[in-house]
Amino acid sequence: MNKKAIIFGIKGYQLTNKERHLFKKIKPWGIILFSRNIKNVFQLKILIDDIKKILNDKKCPILIDQEGGKISRLSKIIDLSNFSQDFFGKLYNRDKKLFYKLYKIYIDKVCNILKRVGININTVPVLDVRRKKSHNVIGSRSFSQNPENVSKLGNTCIDLYKKNKIATVVKHIPGHGMSKSDSHYKTPIIKTNKKELIRKDFKPFKACKSLFAMTAHVVYTKYDLVNTATHSKIIINEVIRNHINFKGLLISDDVSMKSLKYKLEENAIKALEAGCNLILH
C-alpha cells in the first residue's frame, strides 16, 4: 500500500491550507466526513471533488458515519433521525414484508445521496447485540437483543449497500453490546464469559461478510485483561481473524477516543502492531 494507512477527518466545510499541505505530503488512505463537514449537497460535492483532486485519485475512499437515528451526518440534507437500526429491528418483528420494502427504500435513498456527492463507504451496519443493561452509547443503534435478528438485518444492510456499489464497515467488532460505559469517554470492561460472547456477541460478525470492519475500544477480560480489542493481538488474532474469520480490512475506531489510554501517536502505533490495517482519526 503506497498510501499511509490512515483515515483522517477534516475540520469544516472546506479544506484548510494546513489540511491541503498535509494530504499532498502524506497521501492518507482515505477521508471520513461528519456533520461539521456538511452544509448541503452542492457544498459537499465540491468538498469531495477537492479532496480527490488534492489526492490525485478519483476513487479515493471517502467514508461517512451515516447510521440513521441519532447518528445522522446527513441531517442538513435529509432528516433520517427517526430511522435508527432499532426502528427497523422493531419493524422487522412486526411486519417482515413491510420491513424489507421500507428498508430498501431507506438505503436506496441514502445511497442516492452518497453516490451523487462521491462518498463510497458507509460505516454501517452496527452489529452489536443490545442488552437490557447496555450503555446508551449503543442503545437504538442496535437492531435487536436477538443475535439471529442482528445477523439477518446486518446481512440485508450489507447486501443493499453492495447492490448500490457502496462498501460497508461492520462495527464494533467483536461486539460492544455488553458494554456499560461509553468508549468515547471511558474504557468499557466486559467480564462476560467466552461462551456467552461466542453465542451472542460474536455471532453477527461471524455471519455477516463485509469488506471492512471497525474495532471496539473495549476490554474483554476473558481474552485479554489489559488491552482493548483495538490494541489486543490476542483478540484480533484469536477472535476476529480466527473465530469470526474476518478476512477483510480492519479499521480501528477513532484513536482519539478516551477509551484508549496512550497519546495519539502511540494509540495508532499500538493498533497497527496489534493487527489493525487502517487507523481512523
Side-chain angles (χ1 to χ4, degrees), residues 13 35-40 72-78:
Y13 295 140
S35 301
R36 65 178 180 266
N37 308 124
I38 302 169
K39 189 191 291 184
N40 55 53
S72 290
R73 313 303 186 187
L74 296 172
S75 59
K76 289 174 187 161
I77 294 172
I78 187 170

Side-chain angles (χ1 to χ4, degrees), residues 3-4 6-12 15 19-20 22-24 26-34 36-37 44 47-48 50-52 54-55 59-65 118-123 279-281:
K3 295 181 180 183
K4 296 290 190 298
I6 190 162
I7 300 164
F8 278 127
I10 61 174
K11 198 170 183 179
L15 292 174
E19 287 167 344
R20 288 172 183 277
L22 177 68
F23 297 162
K24 277 182 181 177
I26 69 149
K27 291 282 193 291
W29 184 86
I31 303 294
I32 188 166
L33 301 173
F34 294 95
R36 65 178 180 266
N37 308 124
L44 184 55
L47 171 62
I48 292 168
D50 196 23
I51 291 167
K52 290 178 178 179
I54 293 278
L55 296 178
K59 294 182 179 179
C60 168
I62 306 291
L63 297 82
I64 194 167
D65 189 16
I119 293 169
N120 44 28
I121 304 173
N122 192 9
T123 61
I279 300 301
L280 176 64
H281 176 240

Side-chain angles (χ1 to χ4, degrees), residues 111-162:
C111 289
N112 183 41
I113 296 168
L114 300 186
K115 287 189 287 187
R116 185 174 170 188
V117 297
I119 293 169
N120 44 28
I121 304 173
N122 192 9
T123 61
V124 293
V126 175
L127 296 181
D128 302 317
V129 180
R130 190 173 64 246
R131 305 292 208 284
K132 286 181 180 177
K133 293 182 181 178
S134 291
H135 189 278
N136 196 42
V137 69
I138 298 301
S140 63
R141 297 168 69 194
S142 170
F143 283 120
S144 178
Q145 293 183 34
N146 181 336
E148 299 285 351
N149 283 7
V150 174
S151 300
K152 286 176 186 174
L153 273 57
N155 271 320
T156 302
C157 176
I158 292 164
D159 289 344
L160 287 170
Y161 274 99
K162 193 174 181 179

